[in-house]
Amino acid sequence: MIRNNIYIFSAALVLAGAALYLIDWNYAPYIFAAGAAGVTVSYLTMPVKSTDLRTRRLQRQHIFAGIAMIVSSVFMFRHQMAWVVFLLIAAIFQLYSSFVMKDKE
């Protein structure tokens, strides 16, 4: 329950940080980094109920997506546009694993 609330709040911070960075707000990378850290922590603490190889692989993809968001925030702090690439990679991994996990359930 608490992990879900942290995930929802952190995802909102990621979206807000990305949107605010596009309008050149100085504190946007901090908001994005806090959100990325929260999303990653929620993925790392997600319990894996199954020993199925497919489920564990999808869990690792979620963790990789969280790490890609943290790397994206590093590029955001450096004012390099590579942050968009890493955010896109994270979004693709999250989207894929979310749909496949829904089909599995």
Side-chain angles (χ1 to χ4, degrees):
M1 179 72 171
I2 293 174
R3 188 184 64 78
N4 290 336
N5 292 336
I6 290 173
Y7 177 77
I8 291 169
F9 181 70
S10 299
L13 286 177
V14 166
L15 287 173
L20 290 172
Y21 187 79
L22 294 175
I23 61 170
D24 281 336
W25 193 49
N26 291 336
Y27 298 109
Y30 297 101
I31 294 171
F32 186 88
V39 167
T40 305
V41 166
S42 70
Y43 283 153
L44 287 171
T45 59
M46 183 187 314
V48 179
K49 298 173 185 162
S50 175
T51 58
D52 182 28
L53 209 57
R54 184 178 183 188
T55 306
R56 290 194 336 229
R57 176 180 52 90
L58 293 171
Q59 171 71 17
R60 283 191 298 268
Q61 285 181 352
H62 272 298
I63 293 170
F64 183 74
I67 292 170
M69 277 195 274
I70 291 175
V71 172
S72 179
S73 69
V74 169
F75 283 111
M76 211 182 248
F77 279 111
R78 293 181 179 180
H79 299 289
Q80 296 177 351
M81 289 305 290
W83 71 272
V84 177
V85 174
F86 282 97
L87 185 59
L88 180 65
I89 290 169
I92 289 170
F93 272 119
Q94 284 180 340
L95 189 66
Y96 171 75
S97 57
S98 294
F99 277 117
V100 174
M101 277 186 165
K102 289 273 189 209
D103 291 341
K104 181 126 174 65
E105 293 173 354

